[in-house]
Amino acid sequence: MADEPLLRVEDLQKSFGGVTAVDGVSMEVYPGEVHAVIGPNGAGKTTLISLLAGELRPDRGRILFGARDIARRPAHARAKLGFARSFQITSVVPGMRVLDNVMLAVLARDARSFGFWRPARNDPALIRPAVAALERVGLAEVAEERAGAVSHGEHRQLEIAMTLAAEPELLLLDEPMAGMSAEESRRMTGILEDLKGEKTMLLVEHDMDVVFALADRISVLVGGRIAASGAPEAVRADEAVRRAYLGDEAA
Amino acid sequence: MSRTVGWLLLAALAAAPPLALAAGQPFYVDILTRLVCLAAAATSLNLILGHGGMISFGHAAYIGIGAYAVGIPAYYEIYDGWLHLLLAVACSALFALATGAVALRTRGVYFIMITMAFAQMVFFAVVSIEEYGGDDGLVIDIRSEFPLVDLEDSLTLYYACFAVLLGTLYLVHRLVRSRFGMVIEGARGNERRMAALGFAFYRHRLAAYTLAGALCGLSGAMLGNFTNFISPEMMDWTRSGELIFMVVLGGTGALFGPLMGAAVFLLLEELLSGWTIYWQLPFGLLLILVVLFARGGLAGLLEGRRG
């Protein structure tokens, strides 16, 4: 693992009214690793990922991407720097084809989005990377379908294909298994395992089997704070974590 | 299917006027000239409303700006047609750019209200200028002058307006298929996702809004030339509503939708207004039926979609 973190979060805080959802979180994500964030409901996981993606502004703290503090940059600027996020609740453009959705992700990276004249939908520079991303997640057969018409599991796969097609430095995956059947969940785990080592991922996930199968490092978020952070075995063995979280799950 | 009907409609529009003249019915050429001008304006609105999801309730302002870009120079006896068109397009584009920059920071009903408010500002500004007739309007004594083309001839004027319609259709067709078009369509479908992908789509929307305004200004210049008389009434907010009506009736986001919508609108207006002074009532009922049962409008029905 490299010495310099790709992402360093320092003392991040966010309150809504009187509730402090994220309370002084510091963590690092190193290049090439899968860093999972787990925690009970209401622990602040979704707030944390929204802060990282730029949909919320922190009250305090820094988010360093490389050497730059990006904590106050808008979401689209962070995407340009190499963030790609998937949404916990599927977020695609429902009226467009599955392929179009992924082509938009390619187009976002390409930066020449002000082409007014040449037809985009048969442009090989957009289609080829989009089809490659769809094949990677096993969605090539439904490429021509309207994105709003495919199944829930396929939506989740499309989310991943869109993040991949953007060729990001960092994947922010917000509960990629949410609402999936066991079969769909197995397939998604396979897709993410296939990406492991190639992409740096920050994974927020509820499904413990998935987290322990994929993560190189796990941070446990409880009440807006990091209760423990380390290798999966160490976290599994941590008494405080067991009490605060894993014990709850088992009960 | 809707494409086929669209092409047939264009073919009919290309062929009809000389036949109407031959049949001794010059009145129909007038109706058709108004039709192609309004169809071009509605097509430009469809770029932002249908494809971009920006529901502008002030699009008639650009018809007015375009018309006054002909009328005001003509008032000073400046009849150069190229200058008129340049003024129409440039003033419309500038107005769209300035007002769009503010309006596009809002969403939903606020966007609708703010675009309407900006259009009403132009309306009242023109009403208050006594020099150009105020709310009495302005007579255009001589139409825009072009080399080799004489707009005083009703058939020539018709085909000039028809050319503007064809140009507008082609431009919108190219734009919505381009990368730019994909971005505004994506932003209509899911803003949050587009931002997460890295699109600062505000700029794309502003560009689309400006282009739509400029195109509508051009059709307004043609309409001003046709009517020979311009007044603030051309940009009244009810006119903006009629343009939306045409787009929704014809089918939002379908290339030929606004053309079909404009054709049906004018046809019904002619038929119903000869029959009753309450001709707007059946219009309202028709719109309700379309919105309830045929979201894709006429174009959607022709495609077998109910939307």
Side-chain angles (χ1 to χ4, degrees):
Chain A
M1 213 147 281
D3 301 326
E4 280 299 307
L6 180 65
L7 181 78
R8 184 199 293 274
V9 176
E10 291 177 356
D11 194 25
L12 207 60
Q13 182 167 318
K14 179 73 186 177
S15 304
F16 301 100
V19 183
T20 305
V22 169
D23 187 6
V25 165
S26 297
M27 61 186 292
E28 286 98 35
V29 180
Y30 289 91
E33 77 170 354
V34 176
H35 190 145
V37 175
I38 61 173
N41 281 329
K45 303 188 297 291
T46 296
T47 306
L48 178 62
I49 213 159
S50 298
L51 288 168
L52 294 177
E55 292 181 345
L56 291 174
R57 299 279 165 93
D59 303 329
R60 197 180 72 205
R62 302 204 296 167
I63 302 170
L64 295 163
F65 189 59
R68 264 186 283 223
D69 183 3
I70 57 161
R72 269 138 204 102
R73 296 208 187 184
H76 64 80
R78 294 187 203 193
K80 278 268 182 278
L81 287 173
F83 278 51
R85 76 165 293 185
S86 75
F87 290 86
Q88 181 181 350
I89 295 163
T90 300
S91 181
V92 298
V93 185
M96 296 173 95
R97 295 179 304 168
V98 167
L99 180 62
D100 292 333
N101 272 272
V102 189
M103 283 167 72
L104 278 171
V106 178
L107 182 55
R109 179 195 70 198
D110 188 292
R112 279 173 307 198
S113 58
F114 264 98
F116 287 104
W117 202 245
R118 288 218 330 269
R121 280 186 175 79
N122 51 21
D123 184 347
L126 296 179
I127 291 179
R128 265 193 232 117
V131 169
L134 284 174
E135 279 170 353
R136 190 89 197 252
V137 302
L139 274 187
E141 316 89 85
V142 297
E144 300 291 326
E145 308 265 336
R146 265 183 60 246
V150 301
S151 75
H152 177 73
E154 286 167 337
H155 270 146
R156 309 301 303 168
Q157 286 163 266
L158 174 56
E159 285 270 341
I160 303 296
M162 290 172 80
T163 55
L164 282 180
E167 289 199 345
E169 299 272 326
L170 176 67
L171 285 172
L172 298 172
L173 303 177
D174 190 2
E175 299 206 16
M177 310 296 170
M180 279 190 161
S181 69
E183 170 57 31
E184 289 169 335
S185 183
R186 258 196 302 283
R187 190 181 320 143
M188 181 60 81
T189 309
I191 291 165
L192 295 180
E193 266 173 345
D194 180 49
L195 295 171
K196 188 176 149 89
E198 183 186 335
K199 299 281 178 195
T200 310
M201 290 183 241
L202 184 86
L203 171 71
V204 170
E205 183 52 60
H206 239 74
D207 187 330
M208 286 303 120
D209 295 339
V210 173
V211 169
F212 283 102
L214 285 172
D216 297 306
R217 224 133 56 86
I218 297 176
S219 293
V220 185
L221 199 63
V222 180
R225 297 165 194 267
I226 301 280
S229 185
E233 307 78 51
V235 167
R236 204 198 290 265
D238 191 297
E239 262 314 305
V241 172
R242 277 179 173 278
R243 261 201 320 277
Y245 183 50
L246 296 180
D248 290 0
E249 282 281 293
Chain B
M1 182 63 182
S2 101
R3 278 292 160 91
T4 317
V5 172
W7 283 112
L8 287 174
L9 202 52
L10 280 181
L13 285 171
L19 298 176
L21 283 186
Q25 301 280 0
F27 170 66
Y28 287 110
V29 181
D30 284 356
I31 294 181
L32 291 175
T33 309
R34 204 159 92 81
L35 166 60
V36 293
C37 289
L38 289 177
T43 301
S44 74
L45 176 61
N46 194 29
L47 173 63
I48 51 174
L49 194 157
H51 295 283
M54 294 166 256
I55 305 170
S56 167
F57 212 125
H59 212 58
Y62 303 99
I63 290 184
I65 291 171
Y68 274 88
V70 175
I72 293 175
Y75 177 76
Y76 294 111
E77 295 176 11
I78 300 166
Y79 300 109
D80 181 354
W82 293 118
L83 180 72
H84 290 174
L85 295 188
L86 180 71
L87 272 175
V89 171
C91 294
S92 298
L94 275 176
F95 183 72
L97 185 66
T99 60
V102 178
L104 287 169
R105 297 191 183 276
T106 65
R107 297 282 180 275
V109 73
Y110 301 102
F111 181 80
I112 296 174
M113 297 312 290
I114 202 168
T115 49
M116 182 171 152
F118 278 128
Q120 288 300 92
M121 274 169 52
V122 184
F123 174 85
F124 286 114
V126 175
V127 165
S128 69
I129 303 175
E130 291 295 331
E131 184 71 8
Y132 305 129
D135 53 4
D136 290 335
L138 198 58
V139 172
I140 298 177
D141 52 351
I142 298 175
R143 286 178 173 148
S144 302
E145 286 176 345
F146 293 93
L148 304 175
V149 177
D150 179 17
L151 296 188
E152 297 298 338
D153 174 63
S154 67
L155 213 50
T156 309
L157 177 66
Y158 173 81
Y159 283 110
C161 296
F162 189 61
V164 167
L165 171 64
L166 290 181
T168 304
L169 282 168
Y170 183 61
L171 208 64
V172 169
H173 167 77
R174 293 299 299 225
L175 281 171
V176 301
R177 266 156 193 72
S178 70
R179 293 180 166 210
F180 171 78
M182 274 188 94
V183 175
I184 62 166
E185 198 185 329
R188 179 192 62 175
N190 191 337
E191 290 191 1
R192 191 166 175 225
R193 168 50 91 177
M194 292 298 279
L197 284 176
F199 289 109
F201 50 79
Y202 171 79
R203 291 178 291 172
H204 300 79
R205 282 183 167 167
L206 186 55
Y209 192 79
T210 305
L211 277 163
L215 281 171
C216 189
L218 193 59
S219 57
M222 301 314 286
L223 200 62
N225 264 306
F226 161 65
T227 54
N228 278 130
F229 167 74
I230 56 178
S231 76
E233 198 270 336
M234 295 175 92
M235 52 183 127
D236 189 62
W237 67 275
T238 55
R239 298 285 163 193
S240 297
E242 287 175 5
L243 288 176
I244 295 179
F245 188 112
M246 290 173 199
V247 174
V248 173
L249 179 64
T252 53
L255 180 64
F256 291 116
L259 170 61
M260 296 180 203
V264 171
F265 183 94
L266 290 186
L267 189 72
L268 285 177
E269 190 183 64
E270 282 304 319
L271 292 177
L272 296 174
S273 63
W275 174 55
T276 165
I277 56 164
Y278 304 109
W279 58 273
Q280 279 154 333
L281 181 66
F283 263 29
L285 294 174
L286 178 65
L287 190 61
I288 291 169
L289 288 176
V290 167
V291 170
L292 283 180
F293 301 112
R295 290 277 183 79
L298 297 169
L301 286 178
L302 290 168
E303 295 294 334
R305 274 187 300 118
R306 291 269 173 98

